[in-house]
């Protein structure tokens, strides 16, 4: 994106992204800021690779910083819970041909709301010094045959959403209870939670600011 901006604007552009996603995570609503004039959208997309599309490029208030000014971010993790995989959705959803207890999934999601210690859901070796995060909303939805986990929080830690999903799927499969999942939110060690779900099922859906939102919750 920086190379594309430099080509279109004919001057260097250093981007600040709202979310630093894990390698392999997708984005419907990533937001980035830079110092300089807006780039013509058609020109910008003409020089971007096929895996990236700029949905808008507009002037922001003086001093706007896409990362620092963000008040919350929303992520979505998609799970295809059925016996057969989908070649058309390969690399875009987690195929899960195992038992799913929706009541357990919903109970786990409800437990996430509020302020908790997410030490159990990020690698032990980490640069994070604060492990509390406030979750505004967390829920599972079923649409078009897909289970989607939606979560909005003030900030996220490395691998946090992916470990949350894998651990909730353990509860949905009867390998742990929803109550034991909730107990992990009291600062349990990383080893007490589940594995890390693959990156390809996760999407950065939107970023919320105090002013107008940069919001794209569906591709």
């Amino acid at each position: 994106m920086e190379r594309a901006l430099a080509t279109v604007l004919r001057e260097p552009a250093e981007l600040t992204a709202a979310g630093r996603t894990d390698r392999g995570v997708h984005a419907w609503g990533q937001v980035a800021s830079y110092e300089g004039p807006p780039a013509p959208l058609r020109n910008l997309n003409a020089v971007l690779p096929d895996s990236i599309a700029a949905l808008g490029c507009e002037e922001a208030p003086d001093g706007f910083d896409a990362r620092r000014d963000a008040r919350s971010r929303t992520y979505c993790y998609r799970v295809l819970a059925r016996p057969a995989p989908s070649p058309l959705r390969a690399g875009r959803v987690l195929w899960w041909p195992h038992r799913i207890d929706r009541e357990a999934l919903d109970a786990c999601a409800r437990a996430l709301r509020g302020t908790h210690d997410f030490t159990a859901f990020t690698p032990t070796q980490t640069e994070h010094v604060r492990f509390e995060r406030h979750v505004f909303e967390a829920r599972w939805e079923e649409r078009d045959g897909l289970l989607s986990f939606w979560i909005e929080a003030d900030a996220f830690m490395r691998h946090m959403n992916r470990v949350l999903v894998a651990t909730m799927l353990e509860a949905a499969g009867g390998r742990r209870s929803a109550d034991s999942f909730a107990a992990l939110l009291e600062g349990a060690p990383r080893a007490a939670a589940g594995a890390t779900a693959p990156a390809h099922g996760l999407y950065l859906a939107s970023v919320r600011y105090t002013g107008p939102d940069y919001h794209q919750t569906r591709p």
Side-chain angles (χ1 to χ4, degrees):
M1 182 65 78
E2 288 180 338
R3 289 194 297 269
L5 283 167
T7 299
V8 173
L9 299 176
R10 300 185 182 278
E11 61 181 46
E14 183 176 348
L15 285 176
T16 297
R20 295 183 296 177
T21 60
D22 299 332
R23 182 182 297 275
V25 173
H26 312 291
W28 295 326
Q30 177 69 279
V31 180
S33 57
Y34 65 93
E35 292 187 7
L41 201 58
R42 178 174 294 182
N43 296 2
L44 188 57
N45 280 314
V47 294
L48 282 170
D50 291 342
S51 58
I52 304 174
L55 304 181
C57 189
E58 58 193 59
E59 188 173 355
D62 289 343
F64 174 77
D65 184 287
R67 181 171 179 80
R68 187 184 66 244
D69 293 342
R71 295 296 174 262
S72 73
R73 297 160 183 82
T74 297
Y75 281 85
C76 176
Y77 197 101
R78 287 180 156 182
V79 178
L80 181 63
R82 71 181 195 186
S86 170
L88 298 179
R89 288 170 168 161
R92 295 293 184 269
V93 301
L94 171 64
W95 174 46
W96 191 256
H98 308 294
R99 171 190 170 190
I100 288 286
D101 182 338
R102 274 301 306 276
E103 290 187 5
L105 283 182
D106 292 339
C108 290
R110 287 194 299 270
L112 290 171
R113 298 167 188 165
T115 302
H116 305 286
D117 185 329
F118 287 91
T119 300
F121 300 96
T122 194
T124 302
Q125 301 299 323
T126 178
E127 62 183 21
H128 297 295
V129 295
R130 182 180 69 86
F131 295 88
E132 284 193 348
R133 297 293 187 270
H134 183 79
V135 175
F136 298 101
E137 178 59 48
R139 68 187 186 279
W140 283 90
E141 293 181 354
E142 189 165 0
R143 177 177 175 179
D144 299 331
L146 285 176
L147 283 171
S148 298
F149 171 62
W150 292 87
I151 182 169
E152 179 187 3
D154 57 351
F156 292 90
M157 296 183 292
R158 183 176 175 229
H159 294 179
M160 176 176 158
N161 288 322
R162 295 164 59 193
V163 181
L164 283 171
V165 167
T167 310
M168 283 188 281
L169 288 174
E170 287 187 355
R175 296 171 58 189
R176 69 171 71 231
S177 68
D179 287 341
S180 70
F181 173 86
L184 297 174
L185 300 171
E186 299 176 4
R190 173 65 186 90
T196 304
H200 64 255
L202 184 60
Y203 298 76
L204 172 59
S206 63
V207 184
R208 182 165 60 88
Y209 297 90
T210 54
D213 290 355
Y214 295 88
H215 196 71
Q216 180 73 19
T217 57
R218 292 289 192 275

